[in-house]
Amino acid sequence: MAENELEDIKALLRRGGLRGAPEVVEIRPEIRSAGAWHLIDPDYEPDRPAQPSQPPTGTPQTPAPTTPGAEQPQEPAPQPGFAPGMMLRQVTYFVPTAEAARFQDWLFRNERYLHQLAPKGVTYLGTYGVFGKGGTYATFWRYDSFAAIQRMAQAVSDPLSDFGGFLRVLQQYPQIRVASDYAEQLYLPAQSSGLLTPGVTRDEQPGGARAPHG
Amino acid sequence: MSAGPPKPPHRNPVLERPLKVTLSFTDSCNLNCRHCYADCSATPKPDELSAAEWCGILDRLEADGVIGLYIEGGEPLHRPDFLDVLRHAAGRFHIQLRTHGTLVTPEMAAVLRQECRIATLLVDIMGPDAATHDATTGVPGSFERATAGITAALAAGIDTQMLTIMTRWNVAGLQGWVDLAARLGVATVGILRPYPLGRLKRRWAEASLSLDEMHAALEALRLPPGMRLMQSWHPNNGNCCWQTAAIDARGNSIGCAYLREYVHLGNLREVAFLDTWNHPLHRELRSGAVTEACGDCASSQGSHGGCRSTAFAFHGRWDAPDPFDRATNNGVDLRVLPKHPV
Amino acid sequence: MFSPSIRYSQAPGLRLRPVRELGVCVVFAAEEARLYRLNAQAWLVLALCREGLSGPALQAAWREAVAPEDAALEGRPAECLQQAVELLLARRLLRQDGVASQEALAEAGGGDG
């Protein structure tokens, strides 16, 4: 075997190729415009949780019932240093009135996937309309580490990521007419003074903030 | 200072080299279909690639990593030297051959199976009966010969699938068409959207349905048990560009057969195939960088934005929403083709 | 499980097309005119068997290749190899042939079992 082929395969194994079971799947070309091949190995991507049990198509109005807490691990009991979220991110944006119904319908059908497919350490908390400001919405995320922020960024830029795919669709709804139509805030726990105020670090947590369970 | 909105990011999977290529082998045909995208003539045009040139291109494609061929026309079997090319590809590529079936005799079917080792034969049948089909092809008797071709191919052991293009001319007979497939023993059928190309472009107002009419027709279909239906409407509206390349009968690299009137990435008599694959326009087409995409179709197809050919035909922009998708139709009436989209 | 008297090799007429961008290998099986998508684990087995390997040699080669990532297999490396081989045999992408007993004995003595 060519040495570079073996090295290529080893590289794939390092990138998550050992997580699932071995797979040999027949490709049955489907005619779309030309023939389309299903080439994606669903187990390939690192940091990608299991696919939704059913694709979002076909059941737009009847989301499958979910067991509370089944998709994400249970929170640990509060302890000293506990913070509800290591970091919160709020993205505020404007969606045109004409798009509102489609946007809300998309959320109704797909928010569960944003939650289920979020990378490790990232929690989708929801998208909310701002009361009294028609067309203004805010999406909230929780991160339990800076690595989680990085994982989310990687997923968004990865064309093979299901989570990234959903997020990219979500990102198509906002319209930026003026600069104030879009805003982002990253919130850090007030107890993490080292990050909020450079140079001030709590004694018991050198380096500042820590994830509540990590 | 940027004047417009930021360019959408790259969304589709990225292939450094293509795995499969569509070969539009010839623009000649023994039928005279009123919807013909290639506007075929009865004899090949003099500037079509010769068999030797096609064989040279196949060698190059194999070396470049191409492993699958989707061959169509015109009618490939209408050109006498086609089998030479097909034999050259045999055993080296996974081959899907699209034909109107009238030239598939039992003898031809045996050659296609045993010598040319094709994987799939895709046969266009434009209606449930001779009246509908022959009115479309312009040749009396073509329905009988085409269905006999399907029978011969199935008898030879070829995986044979049946295709049709949904138009106002045949929509009422779609259920009959499905039933015909079942009677012939065809297990996989494909209903394709119409494209405003070639002759069909000139008769678009007469032929095209509204999107609601198309969906109603699809939703009314009753498939026999075990039959597989391929269709490219919501939620299966893929943007196949990311994995598609195509070469027309004159050696032009055109990205996709359905982009034949819009895209010219270089002629393979003059430039290398991979150079055309890396052409900036081809990269843009493959990227899935679109202003609007349907999340459902993206989820089911693994690509974003739907078909670029129909998006371009109706909007004149490569990053436009595909009006054949319910989620991105935005009120476009598919029965009305814009006069100057390009 | 993997006998020294069995030799595993790629079926004739295969064309392997690695698609590194997607982490898979597409295989064209000319004999049956079929296409397959292999993930990295199945691809590894097929690639290791390009020239043909006895059962123990295949096991050893597999272990060597996956060793750095062994933890990801959660204690099931032998099971994964077995699954990959069975899948490839079922799809006729891999074939197994008996080898002459002397050769098998020699390899069994020198292999890691």
Side-chain angles (χ1 to χ4, degrees):
Chain A
M1 176 174 53
E3 192 58 33
N4 57 351
E5 183 182 14
L6 183 57
E7 290 307 313
D8 282 346
I9 301 171
K10 285 180 178 176
L12 291 175
L13 297 175
R14 283 195 295 274
R15 291 169 60 189
L18 285 172
R19 271 209 319 253
E23 195 175 61
V24 180
V25 178
E26 182 173 2
I27 298 172
R28 299 176 71 197
E30 290 221 8
I31 304 303
R32 291 290 178 262
S33 298
W37 291 5
H38 297 288
L39 292 168
I40 310 295
D41 169 10
D43 291 323
Y44 166 55
E45 292 174 81
D47 289 330
R48 187 163 85 160
Q51 299 266 15
S53 55
Q54 287 189 333
T57 54
T59 56
Q61 303 305 324
T62 54
T66 54
T67 307
E71 297 83 11
Q72 301 267 337
Q74 293 283 345
E75 296 294 336
Q79 307 211 349
F82 166 79
M86 160 63 183
M87 285 174 273
L88 295 176
R89 178 167 160 251
Q90 177 183 354
V91 185
T92 310
Y93 47 88
F94 172 77
V95 175
T97 306
E99 292 291 305
R102 285 202 315 124
F103 177 55
Q104 290 163 15
D105 178 61
W106 189 89
L107 288 171
F108 177 79
R109 288 181 288 120
N110 296 303
E111 274 195 300
R112 56 186 166 144
Y113 298 114
L114 288 171
H115 184 75
Q116 287 173 357
L117 298 174
K120 182 183 173 196
V122 178
T123 304
Y124 173 74
L125 296 175
T127 295
Y128 297 82
V130 181
F131 186 74
K133 289 183 72 176
T136 301
Y137 296 84
T139 298
F140 294 88
W141 299 90
R142 187 179 77 193
Y143 307 108
D144 71 6
S145 66
F146 287 103
I149 296 178
Q150 182 67 18
R151 281 194 288 272
M152 179 156 165
Q154 285 171 346
V156 172
S157 62
D158 184 346
L160 301 180
S161 163
D162 280 347
F163 173 74
F166 279 101
L167 205 54
R168 287 189 292 268
V169 175
L170 175 68
Q171 289 169 345
Q172 287 167 9
Y173 286 98
Q175 186 182 98
I176 307 175
R177 303 161 303 174
V178 292
S180 60
D181 275 344
Y182 187 89
E184 274 193 51
Q185 277 90 30
L186 185 67
Y187 300 99
L188 303 173
Q191 60 182 270
S192 305
S193 55
L195 291 175
L196 292 171
T197 314
V200 179
T201 302
R202 290 215 339 254
D203 292 338
E204 63 271 34
Q205 288 190 350
R210 236 171 17 103
H213 41 275
Chain B
M1 191 73 184
S2 171
K7 194 75 179 165
H10 204 291
R11 296 196 180 95
N12 283 347
V14 178
L15 291 176
E16 293 170 12
R17 294 175 296 142
L19 284 96
K20 61 185 180 65
V21 177
T22 297
L23 309 181
S24 297
F25 182 76
T26 180
D27 287 346
S28 66
C29 183
N30 55 318
L31 302 183
N32 188 28
C33 296
R34 57 187 168 187
H35 64 274
C36 181
Y37 296 152
D39 211 350
C40 280
S41 54
T43 55
K45 296 182 177 71
D47 59 346
E48 288 191 356
L49 293 174
S50 67
E53 286 177 307
W54 274 118
C55 290
I57 286 174
L58 291 180
D59 294 342
R60 187 66 252 168
L61 293 178
E62 184 183 35
D64 287 340
V66 172
I67 200 169
L69 301 176
Y70 181 93
I71 307 177
E72 60 175 24
E75 171 53 53
L77 293 167
H78 180 61
R79 234 178 82 167
D81 56 358
F82 174 62
L83 288 183
D84 297 336
V85 177
L86 202 52
R87 288 188 183 99
H88 192 72
R92 300 160 69 190
F93 300 92
H94 179 273
I95 301 169
Q96 293 187 280
L97 175 60
R98 185 169 177 185
T99 173
H100 57 47
T102 69
L103 303 173
V104 183
T105 61
E107 295 75 23
M108 176 62 79
V111 170
L112 293 176
R113 173 88 166 103
Q114 292 161 18
E115 295 179 30
C116 303
R117 298 158 74 179
I118 66 168
T120 312
L121 191 72
L122 301 140
V123 184
D124 279 277
I125 300 291
M126 303 312 295
D129 48 41
T132 313
H133 181 84
D134 292 357
T136 297
T137 65
V139 176
S142 58
F143 178 80
E144 292 304 324
R145 295 207 301 278
T147 51
I150 289 174
T151 302
L154 287 167
I158 299 173
D159 172 27
T160 305
Q161 304 177 1
M162 216 166 95
L163 302 180
T164 201
I165 298 166
M166 190 198 295
T167 63
R168 192 167 297 285
W169 297 319
N170 66 5
V171 67
L174 275 188
Q175 184 60 51
W177 177 86
V178 166
D179 297 341
L180 168 69
R183 286 200 303 278
L184 291 170
V186 173
T188 302
V189 297
I191 299 177
L192 311 181
R193 69 178 64 180
Y195 284 85
L197 299 168
R199 289 179 203 149
L200 191 56
K201 185 178 186 176
R202 298 196 283 272
R203 302 182 69 165
W204 187 256
E206 175 190 347
S208 182
L209 301 153
S210 70
L211 187 56
D212 283 345
E213 289 172 317
M214 295 176 187
H215 271 284
L218 288 171
E219 286 156 14
L221 285 180
R222 298 177 309 281
L223 296 179
M227 181 173 283
R228 172 188 178 216
L229 170 66
M230 304 179 290
Q231 60 91 2
S232 65
W233 283 267
H234 185 96
N236 295 332
N237 184 26
N239 177 354
C240 320
C241 283
W242 72 273
Q243 54 172 255
T244 302
I247 303 167
D248 75 11
R250 287 163 298 287
N252 297 314
S253 180
I254 54 175
C256 168
Y258 296 91
L259 295 171
R260 67 179 80 213
E261 293 186 11
Y262 315 130
V263 169
H264 184 282
L265 305 168
N267 188 285
L268 300 192
R269 285 170 168 143
E270 299 160 0
V271 297
F273 172 67
L274 281 187
D275 287 345
T276 70
W277 175 258
N278 287 313
H279 189 289
L281 175 56
H282 205 185
R283 296 176 78 90
E284 181 183 348
L285 286 167
R286 298 202 306 272
S287 73
V290 291
T291 57
E292 197 175 350
C294 166
D296 293 340
C297 293
S299 175
S300 74
Q301 302 299 299
S303 59
H304 292 261
C307 178
R308 292 299 83 206
S309 174
T310 43
F312 190 79
F314 279 85
H315 293 292
R317 290 186 291 115
W318 294 122
D319 62 353
D322 180 5
F324 273 71
D325 192 314
R326 269 179 167 164
T328 54
N329 174 265
N330 298 332
V332 171
D333 185 346
L334 296 181
R335 295 166 296 187
V336 181
L337 193 61
K339 285 193 185 307
H340 304 291
V342 184
Chain C
M1 185 172 13
F2 285 98
S3 164
S5 62
I6 299 292
R7 187 172 188 81
Y8 296 92
S9 54
Q10 285 186 13
L14 297 189
R15 201 176 146 207
L16 276 62
R17 166 59 159 93
V19 191
R20 295 175 178 85
E21 308 93 306
L22 306 181
V24 300
C25 182
V26 174
V27 177
F28 171 52
E31 292 291 320
E32 301 180 34
R34 289 178 189 269
L35 285 168
Y36 297 95
R37 186 193 76 211
L38 275 56
N39 70 358
Q41 293 187 52
W43 178 15
L44 174 61
V45 172
L46 199 60
L48 290 172
C49 294
R50 186 181 292 276
E51 308 297 334
L53 283 177
S54 71
L58 174 57
Q59 276 183 307
W62 163 270
R63 281 183 190 158
E64 185 186 343
V66 304
E69 311 301 322
D70 204 31
L73 289 169
E74 296 166 348
R76 53 186 177 89
E79 181 190 336
C80 285
L81 173 59
Q82 183 74 31
Q83 284 178 359
V85 168
E86 287 173 1
L87 283 170
L88 293 165
L89 287 171
R91 297 292 196 179
R92 290 193 276 253
L93 301 178
L94 197 65
R95 70 178 189 189
Q96 52 182 359
D97 304 297
V99 295
S101 57
Q102 290 234 329
E103 185 185 340
L105 284 172
E107 195 158 343
D112 66 357

